[in-house]
Structure formats: structure tokens, C-alpha cells
Amino acid sequence: MCNPEEAALLRLEEVFSATLARVNSLVLQPLLPAAPEPSDPWGRECLRLLQQLHKSSQQLWEVTEESLHSLQERLRYPDSTGLESLLLLRGADRVLQAHIEYIESYTSCMVVQAFQKAAKRRSEYWRGQQKVLRQLLSGVSSEGSVGASLGQALHQPLAHHVQQYVLLLLSLGDTIGEHHPTRELVVNAATLFGNLQSFMKQELDQAVATQALWHTLRGRLRDVLCTPAHRLLQDSQDVPVTVAPLRAERVLLFDDALVLLQGHNVHTFDLKLVWVDPGQDGCTFHLLTPEEEFSFCAKDSQGQAVWQWKVTWAVHQALRGKKDFPVLGAGLEPSQPPACRCAEYTFQAEGRLCQATYEGEWCRGRPHGKGTLKWPDGRNHVGNFCQGLEHGFGIRLLPQASEDKFDCYKCHWREGSMCGYGICEYSTDEVYKGYFQEGLRHGFGVLESGPQAPQPFRYTGHWERGQRSGYGIEEDGDRGERYIGMWQAGQRHGPGVMVTQAGVCYQGTFQADKTVGPGILLSEDDSLYEGTFTRDLTLMGKGKVTFPNGFTLEGSFSSGAGRGLHTQGVLDTAALPPDPSSTCKRQLGVGAFPVESRWQGVYSPFRDFVCAGCPRDLQEALLGFDVQSSRELRRSQDYLCCERTHPEDSVGSMEDILEELLQHREPKALQLYLRKALSNSLHPLGKLLRTLMLTFQATYAGVGANKHLQELAQEEVKQHAQELWAAYRGLLRVALERKGQAVEEDEDTETRDLQVHGLVLPLMLPSFYSELFTLYLLLHEREDSFYSQGIANLSLFPDTQLLEFLDVQKHLWPLKDLTLTSNQRYSLVRDKCFLSATECLQKIMTTVDPREKLEVLERTYGEIEGTVSRVLGREYKLPMDDLLPLLIYVVSRARIQHLGAEIHLIRDMMDPNHTGGLYDFLLTALESCYEHIQKEDMRLHCLPGHWHSRELW
């Protein structure tokens, strides 16, 4: 059975649907002018509002028709169609929204007097429609303007309809009883439409007040402020209030803006960017905006409460982006708007942000969080802000004079200026990767020219206040030179080493980019000049030349255009040949640049990060970041993003790193942990290693691959190993402190050296091995050539002849290991004796770890001794007289290339704790073999028996 209320609702919907149709045809349609459209802006705006109202009316009619249909179905089939099928109940929110949209469209027309203006355009027509309008209106006087009558005709039916909705729904709720399954739907619908009545009243009151406001304003002010969206919430003429420091004559609070009128000036503040601070006394409160701070003072506490409450809830409403329902401030928590919010604002005040538009996150009147800053001249900044200043990672684009060219700064910022690590790509195609301080390059950094630059260069080193200063390496691609040394104020200044592509090396003192005082010059043929020079390293002044054959020339040198080199001095041809260690192997830079201070700009950021406790927000700023950049993208203003690889993407958070570190403190576990950390470019230790690799390659690769720099490189690698161990110890200390555990005591030198050489150096050496071993190759090239010739000569001997030549006792010859064919003789067999030892020794070239190379040598010794024991049929310990000839045989058959470079690298990089032990003994034996293979008599096929193995010692 259906209730009487349902039948009443059906009749109500039928009447309202018919009324909407009549209003649409008799009022709204005639209000919309036929072509042409109005030419003035206000006319076009009124037309747009009327069209929107017509659209809302049509949607409201469609919803009403749908509601009517659901009521008809309910009344037709009451047994099979439940009460919950009514659109008014199951879709109450949808019906409500259609009413709200109509009301908002209607009040927007009211605010700008669209009805009056439309009626005025067709005054004759509307005077003839007065009777029709009166028929649409009930209980309204026929007196008054046509515009007012039109407004009443468009509003009154809706108000009456909503009132009846509420009454019938309340009655229906009482009829069905408390336990009816649809009672909750009925109560909800009654509540919603009851709230809609309050919403309609507030909207109409605000629209009337706003419409009345325009009549109180002068023409210019009215033109500036009169918009359909504005709704007046409070006027200082109604509740007086004064504003300081700006002495406003009148204060207007709209639902989307706060307006201060001062003479002919209008100060408008978007409510999304207004923050309310309660005052200390009962009559004052404060407002914060992006560029202004105001104090609002009322005559009494009641006036202050009215203004503060309305401003607060107006801000709330503006931030939500829709009107409060049913009335301003209803049903919202918390009482204060959020301090952090998102909005867009264009700065007007003079200063660095003048005319710049910021879009992003704000907090209490300042850009705070992520945002975008754009200037009219094309400058852009995307990134993080803190209290109004660029702070954290950000990307800045600076347009250049040439079309579509930008400087792009991807950097960390602190309090408005670049500070920390950054990557800067300039419009000239130069790229800087390094550290900044107060907006200037400061600390370690690499500046490199573009690949097509007419004068290519790359500087890798330290900076101070935007200039090259301290230790640094510059490569001049045009001149084929590399400078390694000290800088000051952007110029070479202090001790330095110059290496050229032709193999010439200079060491001396520079001042203001010029050589001063005496220096030394080493040529590729190992000639040595000691004296003074011109800037381009031409011999000039007093000096001495020592030639490779020992001759010396001492005197005065000069040169001129087209005259070549002139000298006046003494040529000494009686001098003995120079010591190779003083010419061919002379090392440059050692002592001039203390290894501990060379790369402090690389070590310091890591130390600062550790000393600060490894905070997450400083990780990228101090340790750098990985980024894939594209020069093509950089040429567009759209390039406002940076595809950075965040450390947490592959190694976890800093907390995870420190936790894992604590779980791997045992020797074997620690070795695995360090290997993993150093191989990961996103791990702090891995990042440090990558930067050190970059500096090493910048110094010693390419032009820098010069034998006179070997010792400089070797001590640098050892220093890097110490710093990496210190970095690990620093991370360990932070991890222990975070866990509240006792921090380990500082290591003594011996313990530290043991860990550095035994643990860190083998793990990091592969990263430097290519450049380092090349320097060893060049330094020992002469001895290795003699050694290679000796190996070539010895390889001519068959096995037995070579064993006899080396004076190996015959009872030690492993002839039983040889398998002969029917036409072979022992005297012709080659490369078969001690084959296992030979193959073992060849593995020395397969590893870069000095300790593993020594282990190969130890296994080789074991293979030799094992072979001899098998030959003799008993365990046999080789005495020195027997071991050395056998080792020479194995070395000659292993044919290891560049053995001299291998031996010296092992000797320089081996753990000092092995000094005097078995490894030291075996390496010394290998050195003796190497030296004797080079000997003149060995290279000239000398007869056996002309030397004795004891001579090796």
C-alpha cells in the first residue's frame, strides 16, 4: 500500500515539472537574445550567465521528470516496487545537487542584475508579458520593476517546491514509523532538503547584499569589483573595523577575496592565500598574505569576533573550492584553516620576485614545499621552498640572449641560493658538476666544455667563491696539455706540473698563469733540463741540459722567431751516463702536493654528512646525485623536471644502510658488505669511490698517462683507500649512536693499515687499476723490453737444454712427466716440464689484487716443489740453490708480459704486514729472476755454467 504522502509527492512533482516547463518557455527563453550577441563585455557576460541558468533549469526539470517517473511506478506497482525505489530517496544527493546548481546560477544572475539588463533590452516585450508573470507569481504585488518580477518568477516556484518537499518528507517519516527499513532514507532526504532551505536563504541574502553593494561604490570601483562570483559576507560599514598599517577606508569580505578600499586604490587578497592569527587582546586579530601583514582592530570584542569568524570560515570555504552547506561554517573541522595549502600567486612588490608567479605549496604566507616559480623574462624555478626561499633540490632555467637557449641549474639550494651539489648545463654547452656555496662554485667540481667547442677544456678540482682555487687539473684539448697543480683566483698559482701530449713534462712554480723561477723539463727521450723557461716552456735564461747519454750542456739559452734555440755555455762529453732513477724514472709532483690535502674537496662533504649524523635531507646535497640529462630537452622551457635516481630506489633508506652495516661487522661479512657498497653508485661509499675514480682518470688517463707521474698516482690510490676506510668507520659510528650502543675506540695506525691494505685496497684497486698499471708499464718499459728479449731468447731452448743451461740438477728434471712419440727425443721436447707450475704462474695476470697475485706466486712455488717431490718419490723441500733456477725456468716458460710492471705494482701495493714473510721472500725471488733474465749474458745465448744461482742473492 502507498501512503497519502506519496500521492502528494507525485502531485507536487507534476506541478513543479509543469511550472519549470512554463518558466523555461515564458521567461528564460525570451531572456536569451537572438543573434547578434551583445557587443559589450558586460552584455556577453550576462548572456553567458543566463545561458548557464537555462542549462541548470533544464537539468533540474530532467531530474524532476525522473523523480516523477519513479513515483508513478511506485503508485502503479506498490507491491513490487518498494519505497526505496523513489529517486527522491535513493538519489537524494543527485536531486539536491541539481537544486544547488540552479540556485547558484540564479544568484549569479542576481548579483550582476542580469534580469534587469535583459528586460531593459526588450522592455516593450516584457511590458506586454506582465499578466503572464503575475500568473506565475502568487502572493506578490504587481508593482515593481520588470526585472524584479522576472527574478521572482525564476525563484518563487523553486522555494515553494522545496518547502513542500520538506513538509511531505517529514510527514512520510512519521507515517512509516521508526522501524521501517526505508526510514533512514526518508529522514536523510528530509534533512538534506531542510538544509537546502537554509542554503537558499543564505544564497539569496548574500546575493541581495552584494547587489546592493554595487550601488554604494563609485563607477571605477564597481567596475573592478563587480563579478558574478563575488558574494559579500561582511562590510566594515556594518561592523566597523580598522586595518593597520594600510589605513583602508572600507573593508569588504567576499566569499573568495578580501578587499581593502583606499581612495581610488583597490587591494584584493585571494582568500586561499590569507592566514588568520588570533590577536592577544579581545579586539584585534592578524592576517598574513604573501606580501603583506595586517592587523584588524574592531571597536569591541563582539565586532572582532564577527570579523575573525567570518574571515576564518571564508578562508575554509575558499580552500575547499565549494560553498559550505547548508550555511557558512557548517559542519567543518578543525576551526582553523590548514597552515599548509596549495595556490598560485603573482608577486607585485619590488624585489627579486617582482612579477614572478609562484604555483605550489604554501605555509603561513610563504612558499613552502614543492612549487614552480616563473618570471616574465622566461626564468623558471621548479623545486622545494622553505619560508619563501628556494631550499632543497630545485631546477632553475635562465634564458640567454640567443633564441631558445637556457642555462639549466639542477642543484640543491639553501635559503635562496645554490648550496651543495649541483649539475649546471650552460647555453654555451659547458657543463659543471660539483658543489656550490651562496650561489657560487665552491668546493670540488668539474667544468667541461662542449664536445664541439673550438677550444675544448676540462677542469677537475677545487673552487672558491666561483673561481678555481686550490688543487686542480686542467686539460687543454686544443694545446694537448694537462696542468696538475695549484690554483688561486682562477689562475695557475703555486707549484704545478705540466704534461703534454708529446710526452714532455715540466715541474715548477706558477704565478698568475705564468711560470716563474727555476723548474725542470723532462723530454720524451729522457733529456733533462733544469733552469728557467718562457710561458710556453721554451728554454730561456740560465740552465743545464743532461742528455740520455750523460753529456751535459750548461749555460744561457734563448730563442727567437725563426732563429731556433740558441745557447752559450759548456758542453761536457766526459760525464758518466746518468743514473736511470734520476732521469728516466724521475718522479714529479711528489712532495709538492701533499697527498693528504689534494682532494679534500671530495672527502669533506662526506665527512660533513657523517658528522651531521647522516640526515636524509642532506644526502643528495652533500653526496651528489645521479641524473640523466639531455641537451635537446634543455633547449625547451618544458625542461622543468629532473629524472634523478634517488638513493632509496636501489639501496634503501639511510636507516636501512646503517642497519645493514651493523649486521656485517665480522671480517668475512664485512668484506662482502664493502664489496657490495663500493660497487653500488647510489651507496654513500660507492658515491665517494665514483668521485675519486673521476679525479684519478682526470689526472692520469689520456695525456696524463706519463711515467713521471707514477709515484704521484700510487700514493693517491693508497690515500683513497685510507679515506674510504675512514668513511666506513664514520658510518659505523653513526649507526652505533643511533642504536644507543657504545662507539668503538679510535684505531691505532697499525690496525688501520691492516684493514686498509688487507680489506679496502683489494676491493677498490680494480677501479683505478687501468690507469695505474699503465703508468707502471710506461715507467718500466725499458727493463720490460730487455726482459721480453731475454724471454724470447730462452724460448729457443728445448726443455732439457734450458734446464741444463740454468744449471738445474738432473735428478730434479721431471722427465717421467713427458710422454714421447716414437720419433721424439727428450732433447727436442718444449714447454712440457713443470707445466702445472707454468700454468699457475700465468694466472698472476688474471687478477688486480696484489694479495691474490702473491697467492698465485705461492701456489706456483707449491707446484714446483710438488713436481720435484713427485720426481724424487718423496717429500722434498727445495734449497735456494735449487729453487731459483727452477723458478727462472717457470718464469721463462710462463712468458708473462710486462712482468716488471707487475712486480713493482705488487711491491708498492702489498700489505706492509707481509714484509719479511713468505710473500716477501717469494716476491724477492721473482724480482731476482726478472733481473737475471734481463742480463746481457742471458740475452746472448751464453753457454751453461757461466753463472751460479748463488749470484742471484
Side-chain angles (χ1 to χ4, degrees):
M1 292 293 294
C2 294
N3 298 299
E5 289 80 3
E6 295 178 58
L9 282 171
L10 175 64
R11 289 191 297 275
L12 179 65
E13 295 288 48
E14 289 174 339
V15 171
F16 186 57
S17 177
T19 303
L20 283 175
R22 291 185 66 204
V23 168
N24 185 56
S25 61
L26 297 176
V27 179
L28 277 175
Q29 289 287 2
L31 281 174
L32 298 175
E37 292 185 357
S39 58
D40 61 297
W42 267 114
R44 290 195 296 272
E45 179 64 15
C46 288
L47 174 60
R48 184 190 67 81
L49 293 172
L50 290 171
Q51 289 172 338
Q52 180 61 42
L53 179 60
H54 180 262
K55 180 181 178 182
S56 300
S57 174
Q58 185 66 26
Q59 291 174 345
L60 182 59
W61 178 80
E62 290 173 358
V63 168
T64 304
E65 281 291 297
E66 189 175 344
S67 176
L68 176 60
H69 178 72
S70 67
L71 283 163
Q72 290 171 341
E73 287 295 305
R74 163 68 176 162
L75 292 175
R76 187 177 298 125
Y77 308 107
D79 296 331
S80 59
T81 306
L83 194 59
E84 67 278 359
S85 66
L86 298 183
L87 178 66
L88 198 58
L89 301 184
R90 60 178 169 82
D93 289 333
R94 181 179 161 212
V95 177
L96 178 75
Q97 187 60 36
H99 284 75
I100 290 176
E101 288 177 5
Y102 180 87
I103 293 165
E104 289 178 341
S105 298
Y106 171 78
T107 53
S108 293
C109 291
M110 275 188 66
V111 166
V112 297
Q113 296 181 311
F115 305 133
Q116 288 84 344
K117 293 173 182 176
K120 187 176 181 181
R121 282 197 304 270
R122 301 185 64 189
S123 57
E124 291 294 332
Y125 171 80
W126 289 111
R127 274 198 294 269
Q129 297 295 316
Q130 289 279 14
K131 184 177 179 180
V132 174
L133 291 177
R134 284 197 297 272
Q135 291 175 352
L136 290 174
L137 303 174
S138 59
V140 177
S141 170
S142 60
E143 298 178 1
S145 67
V146 173
S149 298
L150 289 173
Q152 287 289 338
L154 292 169
H155 161 255
Q156 191 188 69
L158 178 70
H160 174 74
H161 181 65
V162 172
Q163 182 184 22
Q164 293 301 310
Y165 259 165
V166 175
L167 293 174
L168 289 174
L169 287 169
L170 289 174
S171 177
L172 178 62
D174 293 337
T175 302
I176 62 177
E178 292 186 5
H179 303 293
H180 195 277
T182 58
R183 177 175 173 76
E184 187 175 343
L185 291 175
V186 175
V187 172
N188 176 63
T191 303
L192 286 178
F193 286 100
N195 289 338
L196 180 61
Q197 284 185 298
S198 301
F199 179 78
M200 288 176 60
K201 182 179 185 308
Q202 176 183 263
E203 281 291 289
L204 289 170
D205 290 345
Q206 290 177 358
V208 170
T210 307
Q211 188 183 61
L213 170 68
W214 308 140
H215 298 292
T216 67
L217 298 178
R218 292 185 291 271
R220 177 181 175 277
L221 295 179
R222 182 170 60 249
D223 293 341
V224 171
L225 295 177
C226 184
T227 66
H230 274 335
R231 299 291 186 275
L232 182 65
L233 303 183
Q234 191 62 56
D235 188 344
S236 62
Q237 288 189 349
D238 299 328
V239 180
V241 66
T242 59
V243 181
L246 185 65
R247 296 187 177 277
E249 299 168 1
R250 190 173 181 182
V251 182
L252 302 174
L253 176 63
F254 294 99
D255 60 350
D256 59 349
L258 177 69
V259 176
L260 306 182
L261 303 181
Q262 189 181 35
H264 294 288
N265 297 320
V266 179
H267 304 277
T268 303
F269 303 93
D270 185 349
L271 289 181
K272 296 188 191 71
L273 290 169
V274 172
W275 283 260
V276 182
D277 269 349
Q280 299 299 320
D281 57 54
C283 297
T284 305
F285 66 97
H286 305 282
L287 295 184
L288 304 177
T289 70
E291 297 183 87
E292 306 278 356
E293 292 188 18
F294 302 111
S295 295
F296 274 53
C297 185
K299 289 184 177 180
D300 50 37
S301 58
Q302 184 178 358
Q304 181 264 352
V306 169
W307 272 99
Q308 181 174 327
W309 185 89
K310 286 200 174 181
V311 172
T312 298
W313 288 110
V315 170
H316 255 309
Q317 182 174 263
L319 291 174
R320 290 178 63 234
K322 60 180 182 179
K323 295 181 181 295
D324 294 348
F325 186 83
V327 293
L328 180 68
L332 290 177
E333 292 295 339
S335 58
Q336 284 297 322
C340 298
R341 53 190 78 160
C342 292
E344 180 179 326
Y345 179 79
T346 299
F347 291 88
Q348 303 297 329
E350 291 296 327
R352 71 183 191 94
L353 297 181
C354 183
Q355 298 304 312
T357 299
Y358 174 80
E359 182 179 2
E361 298 174 348
W362 297 75
C363 183
R364 295 185 57 76
R366 300 290 180 267
H368 190 89
K370 296 183 182 298
T372 302
L373 197 58
K374 296 181 180 181
W375 284 264
D377 61 6
R379 286 177 294 159
N380 291 273
H381 183 94
V382 179
N384 294 315
F385 293 79
C386 181
Q387 294 301 313
L389 298 173
E390 299 90 331
H391 193 91
F393 181 78
I395 304 172
R396 174 73 59 88
L397 287 184
L398 298 180
Q400 299 303 305
S402 57
E403 185 179 354
D404 205 21
K405 287 279 189 174
F406 293 83
D407 288 347
C408 179
Y409 297 84
K410 292 168 281 191
C411 190
H412 278 265
W413 300 68
R414 180 182 298 169
E415 297 178 358
S417 62
M418 290 183 289
C419 189
Y421 185 81
I423 298 177
C424 301
E425 298 170 327
Y426 302 96
S427 60
T428 59
D429 283 341
E430 293 180 0
V431 178
Y432 173 80
K433 297 181 180 181
Y435 292 88
F436 289 84
Q437 183 173 301
E438 296 180 359
L440 299 173
R441 300 168 190 160
H442 193 92
F444 172 76
V446 179
L447 179 65
E448 186 172 7
S449 63
Q452 306 301 323
Q455 294 181 323
F457 73 91
R458 182 178 62 191
Y459 174 80
T460 304
H462 299 280
W463 301 76
E464 186 173 339
R465 304 295 300 166
Q467 295 182 313
R468 305 175 190 190
S469 188
Y471 184 73
I473 290 91
E474 182 186 50
E475 182 164 354
D476 187 332
D478 188 41
R479 296 168 62 95
E481 295 177 349
R482 182 172 295 173
Y483 171 80
I484 303 168
M486 303 306 294
W487 297 74
Q488 182 176 303
Q491 296 179 318
R492 302 170 187 180
H493 193 93
V497 173
M498 180 79 76
V499 183
T500 72
Q501 208 163 17
V504 177
C505 297
Y506 165 82
Q507 178 175 330
T509 303
F510 290 77
Q511 186 173 345
D513 256 350
K514 298 179 180 179
T515 57
V516 295
I520 64 171
L521 187 73
L522 285 163
S523 65
E524 192 175 18
D525 66 354
D526 294 328
S527 296
L528 171 66
Y529 171 78
E530 300 168 278
T532 55
F533 304 82
T534 63
R535 186 185 185 280
D536 60 358
L537 302 183
T538 302
L539 280 57
M540 180 67 71
K542 292 184 178 182
K544 176 183 177 182
V545 177
T546 302
F547 297 99
N549 60 4
F551 293 0
T552 62
L553 177 60
E554 187 170 3
S556 296
F557 297 84
S558 63
S559 63
R563 297 190 302 124
L565 180 65
H566 289 257
T567 181
Q568 183 177 0
V570 178
L571 176 65
D572 184 358
T573 60
L576 295 174
D579 181 359
S581 64
S582 65
T583 53
C584 174
K585 295 190 176 182
R586 184 157 186 167
Q587 295 297 295
L588 303 180
V590 179
F593 322 115
V595 67
E596 300 84 4
S597 59
R598 276 180 220 162
W599 298 112
Q600 285 302 313
V602 178
Y603 307 142
S604 294
F606 193 98
R607 294 192 191 118
D608 294 342
F609 178 66
V610 171
C611 290
C614 303
R616 178 180 178 181
D617 59 333
L618 292 181
Q619 187 170 349
E620 281 192 342
L622 293 175
L623 303 185
F625 51 82
D626 293 334
V627 58
Q628 295 179 351
S629 63
S630 166
R631 294 181 183 276
E632 293 301 320
L633 286 173
R634 231 191 67 245
R635 295 172 185 167
S636 166
Q637 287 199 52
D638 296 333
Y639 186 54
L640 292 177
C641 62
C642 180
E643 295 298 330
R644 290 165 21 248
T645 303
H646 199 276
E648 295 185 8
D649 292 344
S650 62
V651 297
S653 66
M654 200 66 221
E655 290 74 16
D656 295 335
I657 292 173
L658 297 176
E659 181 66 32
E660 186 179 7
L661 186 147
L662 288 176
Q663 296 171 3
H664 295 78
R665 296 174 65 186
E666 295 301 320
K668 288 186 178 180
L670 176 56
Q671 184 182 33
L672 293 174
Y673 175 81
L674 289 177
R675 186 186 303 277
K676 177 183 174 183
L678 293 173
S679 64
N680 192 326
S681 62
L682 299 181
H683 191 285
L685 294 177
K687 283 187 176 184
L688 180 57
L689 177 60
R690 294 302 181 281
T691 307
L692 296 175
M693 288 168 57
L694 183 150
T695 64
F696 198 77
Q697 291 167 357
T699 311
Y700 305 110
V703 177
N706 192 290
K707 62 186 177 182
H708 301 293
L709 302 178
Q710 178 268 331
E711 189 170 342
L712 201 68
Q714 176 243 116
E715 64 179 11
E716 205 165 285
V717 171
K718 291 181 177 178
Q719 180 65 27
H720 292 341
Q722 289 188 24
E723 292 292 342
L724 284 167
W725 177 248
Y728 162 76
R729 295 279 298 174
L731 291 175
L732 177 60
R733 187 182 72 251
V734 173
L736 292 171
E737 288 174 348
R738 288 192 179 189
K739 290 290 185 180
Q741 300 178 19
V743 178
E744 293 183 354
E745 296 181 0
D746 292 337
E747 298 174 311
D748 55 43
T749 304
E750 183 178 351
T751 304
R752 184 200 66 190
D753 290 345
L754 178 64
Q755 297 286 22
V756 168
H757 286 85
L759 184 59
V760 179
L761 190 59
L763 295 175
M764 60 159 280
L765 191 55
S767 300
F768 303 92
Y769 192 79
S770 177
E771 292 78 17
L772 183 63
F773 190 64
T774 299
L775 298 178
Y776 276 90
L777 289 178
L778 296 171
L779 184 62
H780 301 286
E781 185 177 19
R782 182 171 177 271
E783 301 99 296
D784 274 338
S785 66
F786 292 155
Y787 157 79
S788 296
Q789 186 59 51
I791 291 294
N793 291 333
L794 292 176
S795 66
L796 299 175
F797 287 82
D799 287 355
T800 55
Q801 190 177 349
L802 181 56
L803 290 170
E804 183 178 5
F805 176 75
L806 295 175
D807 205 16
V808 176
Q809 298 184 53
K810 288 191 176 182
H811 70 283
L812 301 180
W813 293 10
L815 299 180
K816 64 172 63 177
D817 291 345
L818 304 180
T819 303
L820 302 178
T821 60
S822 58
N823 59 350
Q824 269 189 324
R825 291 178 296 174
Y826 284 115
S827 60
L828 298 179
V829 173
R830 209 183 283 270
D831 297 330
K832 297 297 183 182
C833 292
F834 295 98
L835 182 59
S836 61
T838 301
E839 292 175 343
C840 183
L841 184 60
Q842 288 171 338
K843 294 177 182 177
I844 201 169
M845 297 183 293
T846 63
T847 178
V848 302
D849 185 350
R851 181 174 56 190
E852 291 181 0
K853 290 178 183 288
L854 289 170
E855 290 172 353
V856 168
L857 189 55
E858 182 183 15
R859 290 197 298 271
T860 301
Y861 169 71
E863 289 292 339
I864 294 173
E865 203 167 65
T867 300
V868 171
S869 297
R870 190 173 64 255
V871 170
L872 298 177
R874 58 185 173 83
E875 187 175 343
Y876 183 77
K877 294 294 182 183
L878 287 168
M880 286 302 101
D881 289 349
D882 292 337
L883 172 62
L884 218 50
L886 289 172
L887 187 57
I888 293 175
Y889 172 87
V890 171
V891 170
S892 68
R893 289 308 193 223
R895 298 179 180 85
I896 299 171
Q897 293 184 337
H898 315 299
L899 182 60
E902 292 277 8
I903 290 173
H904 284 87
L905 187 143
I906 296 170
R907 176 65 72 187
D908 290 340
M909 294 294 170
M910 68 184 288
D911 191 339
N913 291 290
H914 292 153
T915 304
L918 176 61
Y919 286 157
D920 192 9
F921 161 73
L922 293 173
L923 186 59
T924 302
L926 186 61
E927 288 171 336
S928 298
C929 295
Y930 175 75
E931 292 170 4
H932 278 272
I933 290 174
Q934 297 177 63
K935 282 190 175 183
E936 192 72 20
D937 55 342
M938 290 290 289
R939 296 191 299 113
L940 297 177
H941 302 277
C942 292
L943 295 174
H946 286 197
W947 61 281
H948 195 275
S949 59
R950 290 187 182 275
E951 296 175 5
L952 297 174
W953 306 98

